[in-house]
Amino acid sequence: MEERGLKIFVPEEEEPGKDSSVFYNKDMKNNRDISWAALKVFREKVEVPEFNIADALAASGIRGFRYSGQGNIHLNDTNPRAIESIEKGLEENDIEAEVSESDANVFLSENRNFFHLIDVDPFGPFTPYLDSTARAANYQSFVGLTATDNAVPAGSYKKTCMRRYGSTPMKNALMHETGLRIYIKEAFQNFARYDKCFDPKICWHERHYTRVMGRVTESKSRANRTLENIGYMSFCPQCRWRKLERVDKCGHCGAEVKVAGPLWTGKISDQRFTSEVLEEMPEDWESREIVELLDSEAEILTPFYDLHKMASSTGLMAPKREDVIENLREKGYPVSRTHFTPTGIRTDAPLEDVISAMKD
Ligand SMILES: C[S@@+](CC[C@H](N)C(=O)[O-])C[C@H]1O[C@@H](n2cnc3c(N)ncnc32)[C@H](O)[C@@H]1O
């Protein structure tokens, strides 16, 4: 098979999964496109004599192949058939890389502070690899973490979420934003344990996966300051009021609220970074659409509103998203679409103004 002009040697399958002899999922192309562009942006900001890149769970090697030309590539996987695919791919694509067949935790832990980019793209959660990623991350590095256990921090398995992430999730229209914020919190706290600070730069949710990408710096004081961004999210099931803070009663109708967390209460992407990522991405890549949305919503903190859900709780007809956006913009509020759902908007306007914009 091919992806963006690179040859990949894997059996063609209907449903790639854990049992694939060598895993390759073409539906993760957007994830790889955005990760490639994010690396380009980060790469331009760092001046080091050698830039070391780790694809710690490489499967066919496609991620690492796509990062070629940006540094010294290290590809690792435990599966001997993956190693064969990687070696064939390197030869056919004329790429040089170091290849190893180790457990990702061993591979990363043996390379303390060595890597400037670490890509962790496992089956399920990234949590089993966080400690070794923090050890292996250089004091100026970039880290990309994929998780496919979305149902857990999105509230379908509360106990598992408590066990795996130490957080209470929330199962409602906001569940994927809650999940993404739990993932970022987990990454941040883990790096903080190693006196490293993780700053989310571009983080998103798409279909069955969530991707968290951010910059790592070795700074205790920065990590201490950033601790402010760990907190809670309150949500009123009656009127859909929400706040990135732990409260007892709804600030709009006074009803009892549901609280999720601890989670990340800061921005989920950095708009300066997402705009640079967009500049790197060719105009005809579909994956641009996700980054355009991330770019437009990056500066707005309040969790998004699903206009269809708002319509059913207020008894109003679901208005056109663009009309609500225009109305709130005219009133001077920051407002945008959101990558979480095509029926959503993100705005810092108070709930009463969102409702009045829907009525208007
Ligand atoms: C989801 S796939 C990686 C997909 C790949 N990054 C891509 O973009 O196509 C996960 C890979 O991790 C490998 N793997 C599973 N457990 C591992 C471990 N403990 N250490 C290293 N590799 C592991 C599997 O063999 C599989 O190839």
Side-chain angles (χ1 to χ4, degrees), residues 35 38-39 42 116-119 133 137-138 140-145 184 187-188 191 197-204 211-217 264 267-270 273:
S35 302
L39 171 60
F42 177 70
H116 303 90
L117 172 82
I118 303 178
D119 202 308
T133 302
N138 187 265
Q140 44 176 349
S141 55
F142 201 72
V143 168
L145 308 161
I184 300 175
F188 171 81
F191 282 95
C197 185
F198 176 79
D199 282 301
K201 290 289 171 192
I202 180 162
C203 306
W204 72 98
R211 178 80 161 161
V212 170
M213 299 194 84
R215 184 176 189 149
V216 175
T217 41
W264 179 257
K267 291 177 187 166
I268 55 180
S269 294
D270 172 345
F273 193 85

Side-chain angles (χ1 to χ4, degrees), residues 23-25 28 32 55-60 62-63 76-79 82 102-105 121-123 129:
F23 182 87
Y24 169 73
N25 185 354
M28 284 293 212
R32 287 183 287 265
D55 183 357
L57 300 103
S60 68
I62 182 60
R63 267 171 203 273
N76 177 74
D77 203 287
T78 37
N79 174 2
S102 295
D103 184 283
N105 282 320
D121 184 49
F123 298 122
Y129 306 102

Side-chain angles (χ1 to χ4, degrees), residues 1-3 6-13 24 26:
M1 282 185 264
E2 275 202 19
E3 182 174 298
L6 290 160
K7 297 187 191 107
I8 315 155
F9 295 88
V10 291
E12 221 160 312
E13 296 174 297
Y24 169 73
K26 59 179 175 4

Side-chain angles (χ1 to χ4, degrees), residues 302-354:
T302 308
F304 76 90
Y305 292 86
D306 185 318
L307 293 175
H308 284 196
K309 298 277 193 297
M310 288 291 295
S312 59
S313 69
T314 51
L316 297 166
M317 293 261 287
K320 274 197 194 148
R321 182 190 58 194
E322 293 313 320
D323 291 346
V324 179
I325 289 182
E326 203 182 303
N327 185 294
L328 287 168
R329 197 166 281 145
E330 276 169 13
K331 288 178 182 146
Y333 289 116
V335 54
S336 76
R337 294 184 293 156
T338 172
H339 81 285
F340 284 107
T341 167
T343 57
I345 61 160
R346 189 183 282 281
T347 180
D348 285 333
L351 177 62
E352 44 276 26
D353 286 346
V354 175

